[in-house]
């Protein structure tokens, strides 16, 4: 059963704590992306990675960090420096072979209080 | 110049009607225009996409119309059904190179349209 998995589906944290969101894909896709979704604002790109051991900042990278040690995994850490971390976080991947079709995971809803 | 503006923010249609969502862009280098459908609490799913070498693409009840000179593209949902009720996002990106050497830029998304189809 191929696809993108994100865990957990719901995550609750206290303000000031770092939290890591998981994203795994078994599609053998080269590129992976993290987006943040807030009501009425569409999807905003946080970080992306075209290949293993390489990643670039997106439009709203401040307060976030990522790693890409394995092709199938692209975890996102929301640090305490992120001023407004409560949001719906979406991971996506793209095959990287002649296609710009991005496929999304089911998302993680993070609530920080 | 990287913005994609989407309208309307929300749309209510009767079952069997036509739903039309519009997007406008500024960057003339954009060459890939997908539409995504998202149900509450789920990730977006790729619905249909178009490249600027065609003016229209149809897949079932879903049609993209593309107007390169006006820098606009739209999604038409024919015979709208209650199951089509979802949030729809347009997006755009550009590419460089050809064939296996093609590089792709990031997707820029519109703000989304909440579609409600009444039975």
């Amino acid at each position: 059963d191929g696809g993108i998995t994100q865990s957990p589906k719901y995550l609750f944290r206290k303000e000031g704590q770092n939290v890591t969101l998981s994203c795994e894909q078994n599609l053998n896709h080269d590129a992976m992306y993290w987006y943040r979704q807030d009501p009425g604002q569409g999807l905003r790109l946080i970080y992306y990675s075209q290949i293993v051991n390489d990643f670039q900042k997106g439009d709203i990278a401040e307060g976030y960090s990522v790693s890409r040690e394995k092709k199938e995994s692209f975890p996102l850490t929301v640090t305490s420096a992120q001023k407004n971390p409560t949001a719906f976080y979406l991971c996506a991947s793209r095959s990287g072979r002649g296609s710009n079709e991005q496929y999304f995971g089911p998302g993680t809803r993070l609530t920080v209080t | 110049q990287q913005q994609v503006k989407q309208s309307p923010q929300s749309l209510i249609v009767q079952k069997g009607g036509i739903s039309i969502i519009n997007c406008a862009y500024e960057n003339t280098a954009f060459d890939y225009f997908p539409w995504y459908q998202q149900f509450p609490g789920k990730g977006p799913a790729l619905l249909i996409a178009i490249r600027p070498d065609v003016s229209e693409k149809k897949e079932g009840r879903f049609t993209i119309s593309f107007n390169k000179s006006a820098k606009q593209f739209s999604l038409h949902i024919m015979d709208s059904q209650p199951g089509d009720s979802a949030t729809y996002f347009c997006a755009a990106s550009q590419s460089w190179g050809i064939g296996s050497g093609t590089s792709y830029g990031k997707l820029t998304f519109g703000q989304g349209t909440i579609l409600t189809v009444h039975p």
Side-chain angles (χ1 to χ4, degrees):
Chain A
D1 190 20
I4 303 171
T5 56
Q6 291 185 244
S7 60
K9 189 169 179 62
Y10 299 97
L11 193 52
F12 298 89
R13 280 294 182 269
K14 293 290 186 184
E15 196 172 314
Q17 292 179 336
N18 291 355
V19 59
T20 298
L21 282 59
S22 167
C23 178
E24 304 277 332
Q25 54 98 2
N26 61 4
L27 301 167
N28 199 33
H29 283 177
D30 293 318
M32 297 185 74
Y33 304 80
W34 274 106
Y35 292 89
R36 171 182 171 137
Q37 186 174 22
D38 297 282
Q41 293 198 46
L43 282 71
R44 293 182 292 167
L45 183 64
I46 304 172
Y47 267 99
Y48 62 104
S49 168
Q50 307 272 35
I51 55 172
V52 175
N53 292 322
D54 187 45
F55 49 83
Q56 288 81 38
K57 292 181 179 180
D59 300 316
I60 56 165
E62 185 176 348
Y64 300 97
S65 66
V66 294
S67 63
R68 185 87 188 275
E69 297 176 1
K70 298 185 296 182
K71 187 175 185 178
E72 58 270 22
S73 178
F74 191 39
L76 173 74
T77 297
V78 184
T79 75
S80 56
Q82 169 50 232
K83 293 176 182 169
N84 206 7
T86 295
F88 189 48
Y89 289 88
L90 288 158
C91 178
S93 70
R94 176 177 64 80
S95 70
R97 290 187 290 275
S99 169
N100 203 12
E101 295 180 357
Q102 290 189 22
Y103 298 91
F104 285 83
T108 291
R109 186 165 298 281
L110 173 65
T111 302
V112 177
T113 57
Chain B
Q1 201 178 22
Q2 291 294 322
Q3 280 188 329
V4 176
K5 295 184 179 178
Q6 184 172 344
S7 63
Q9 278 189 312
S10 61
L11 180 62
I12 298 175
V13 174
Q14 291 296 123
K15 179 182 175 181
I18 302 173
S19 304
I20 302 174
I21 305 170
N22 301 299
C23 283
Y25 62 97
E26 291 292 325
N27 187 350
T28 55
F30 284 152
D31 59 3
Y32 174 71
F33 303 90
W35 284 90
Y36 284 84
Q37 179 190 57
Q38 183 181 31
F39 293 105
K42 306 292 185 184
L46 180 63
L47 195 59
I48 186 172
I50 197 169
R51 296 196 181 276
D53 51 346
V54 296
S55 60
E56 188 175 280
K57 182 175 181 180
K58 184 176 181 180
E59 289 185 4
R61 296 184 295 110
F62 299 91
T63 299
I64 299 179
S65 296
F66 183 79
N67 186 330
K68 190 173 182 178
S69 61
K71 292 185 286 186
Q72 294 176 349
F73 58 110
S74 59
L75 176 69
H76 297 235
I77 306 174
M78 313 299 287
D79 186 26
S80 299
Q81 300 296 312
D84 296 330
S85 297
T87 300
Y88 292 82
F89 292 96
C90 63
S93 70
Q94 68 179 98
S95 62
W96 300 266
I98 56 172
S100 60
T102 302
S103 299
Y104 294 96
K106 60 183 182 179
L107 283 174
T108 299
F109 284 85
Q111 295 85 349
T113 296
I114 301 172
L115 172 66
T116 303
V117 181
H118 284 158

